[in-house]
Amino acid sequence: MIYVGGVPFPAEDSSSSPNSTQGSVVLVALMDHPILVSASHSFRAMQERKFSFSEESSLQQPRHSKCVFVFQREYATVDPSLVDLVGTDEATTCVGIVIRNRGSGMVSVAHLDSPNIVDIGLTQMLALVADHNSDAILDVHLVGAFEDTSPQQENRDAESKSHRKLEGYSFPLCSRIIEILGKSREIFHIQTLHVLGHNTRWDSEGNALPIFHGVLVETSTGSVIPASFDRTSRCPDEIVRRIRRGASFEDPSWTGRLLETYDTQNDRFVIAPCLWTRQQLRMALTTRQFSDTEILLRCSSSPFAEGPDFVDNERRQCEYLIQHPDCRETFPLKQPRVFERTADGGWTKC
C-alpha cells in the first residue's frame, strides 16, 4: 500500500485503489502530487555528492566512512550499526530505489533495470527490512529513470492527461514499481519520486538527459542525496561484478531476481561464482574492435545519456573476458570471491 504525506494514495474514499488501479495511472497521479513535486524540487536543488574512496581515505579524520556500493541489477541491505553510507549510480533509464525501516534503521538499496525483476526484487529487498510482525513504517525513495521519450497524449481532452502513453524504458519500469508497491500488504511512505520528468534536462541539441544518475543514503539519519561515484568507490571487485550481471541473463537461476552480493550480517561481499559463455567471449572480441560511438549505440539503451566513463567500462570488461576466457580462473573450484572490510573502510579479498 502506498502512502503520501501520511495518508493512503489514492485516498480511501477514491473510486479506485492501489490494488485495483494500473501502476501507470497511479504513477502519473503521483508525479503531480504537490508533496512529491515539492520533495523533487528540494532534491533537485541539492548539491550532488561526488564520492571517492581515495579522497575519503586521504582525509585526516579518526574514522573513515564505511560505504556499500550497488551495481546495476544488484541490491544490498545494510545495518546502520555496521555501515555509514550505501548507494548506487550510473542510472539512466534504470531506477535507484531506497527502502528504509524508520524503526530499525535497516536500509535496502537496489538498482532496478527491468520491469521483469521488480516483483521478486522488492521481495528480496524487504526480507531483512520489513518487520512482518508489526506495522513497520517503510520510507521509499526513487531516483533515476529520466524521460527517455516524450509523452504522447491519447487525445487532447483534459481527461486524457492522466493516461499518457509513454514508450521507451523508463516509464514501464517506474509503472511496475508503483504497481507492486501499491499491491503489497506493507505500507510504503513515498518520500522522493525524482524520476521521469522530474529528473530530466535537455542539452543544446534537444537531447533529454538525466539530472542525476545516482543516490546515496546516510544510514544513521536516512537522509538521501544525489550522488556519483568514481572507480575507487565502485568496489569491491568492480569488473567481475559488471561481467556477472551480463552472465546472469543466461543463468535461469537468476531469472526475475536481483543479484545478491552483500552479506548484511557480516558486512562483507560474497560474489557467487558464475559462468561466462563462448557467446560472451565472442561479443567481447567483437566489441573491442568498435569505435567509441559504436559501443555507445550498441551497448546502451540511452547512448546520449551515459556517463563519461561508460565506454571505458565496456572496454575493460571486454579485456577481462579476453584475458580470462575460462571463468574457473576467476572462481577456482567454483568458490565465491569474498571481500572483508578493512580498518580504513575499504575492502580486501580473503
Side-chain angles (χ1 to χ4, degrees), residues 126-143:
L126 290 173
L128 295 177
V129 172
D131 184 353
H132 299 289
N133 295 321
S134 66
D135 296 327
I137 299 177
L138 302 175
D139 290 326
V140 176
H141 305 266
L142 302 174
V143 178

Side-chain angles (χ1 to χ4, degrees), residues 18 61 80 82 122 141 153 175 204 210 237 251 258 283 321:
Q61 54 186 14
L82 301 174
L122 289 178
H141 305 266
Q153 296 184 21
S175 296
S204 59
D237 221 13
D251 185 345
L258 290 168
M283 289 179 62
L321 286 169

Side-chain angles (χ1 to χ4, degrees), residues 250-278:
E250 300 184 40
D251 185 345
S253 67
W254 288 108
T255 300
R257 296 174 58 83
L258 290 168
L259 295 172
E260 299 170 349
T261 56
Y262 178 72
D263 179 351
T264 303
Q265 296 178 336
N266 296 298
D267 185 31
R268 65 177 187 170
F269 274 87
V270 181
I271 316 301
C274 65
L275 300 174
W276 38 87
T277 63
R278 291 181 179 178

